Amino acid sequence: GYISIKKDSKLIGSNTLAYAKKKKLFGSIVYSEIFIRPGSQNLNLLLEHELGHSLGFGHKDILGHIMYPKYDMMGEKFTLP
């Protein structure tokens, strides 16, 4: 499979900074596409968060966690479930 990263100009003016879509077949991820709003703040943080989704991780309700659902409250912490 593969993971692609693309800019999505349709996100300009929206509250969404980035999102990931993935295709699964028989429980395995075939590919994932990450879409980033052009001009987004911290690209490294957004990409790490969206790569987490691409690999199957969901949001975590832990302030400062990389998978926290709100950008301004996420951080670089990472813990496995």
Side-chain angles (χ1 to χ4, degrees):
Y2 66 89
I3 297 173
S4 67
I5 301 166
K6 303 173 184 178
K7 292 180 183 177
D8 186 347
S9 58
K10 290 182 254 173
L11 294 176
I12 294 174
S14 78
N15 290 332
T16 302
L17 296 175
Y19 65 96
K21 294 188 329 185
K22 64 183 171 217
K23 169 77 172 162
K24 292 175 89 176
L25 184 63
F26 304 115
S28 295
I29 299 170
V30 177
Y31 68 86
S32 181
E33 296 174 301
I34 296 172
F35 298 91
I36 303 285
R37 182 171 78 187
S40 294
Q41 289 80 352
N42 185 332
L43 191 57
N44 290 339
L45 197 64
L46 288 175
L47 283 175
E48 190 172 343
H49 178 92
E50 296 306 327
L51 280 168
H53 285 310
S54 295
L55 296 172
F57 292 100
H59 287 136
K60 295 284 247 178
D61 195 24
I62 302 169
L63 285 176
H65 196 282
I66 191 65
M67 295 308 294
Y68 195 78
K70 294 184 180 183
Y71 172 78
D72 57 344
M73 293 185 220
M74 73 172 63
E76 298 180 3
K77 279 196 262 179
F78 181 81
T79 54
L80 294 173

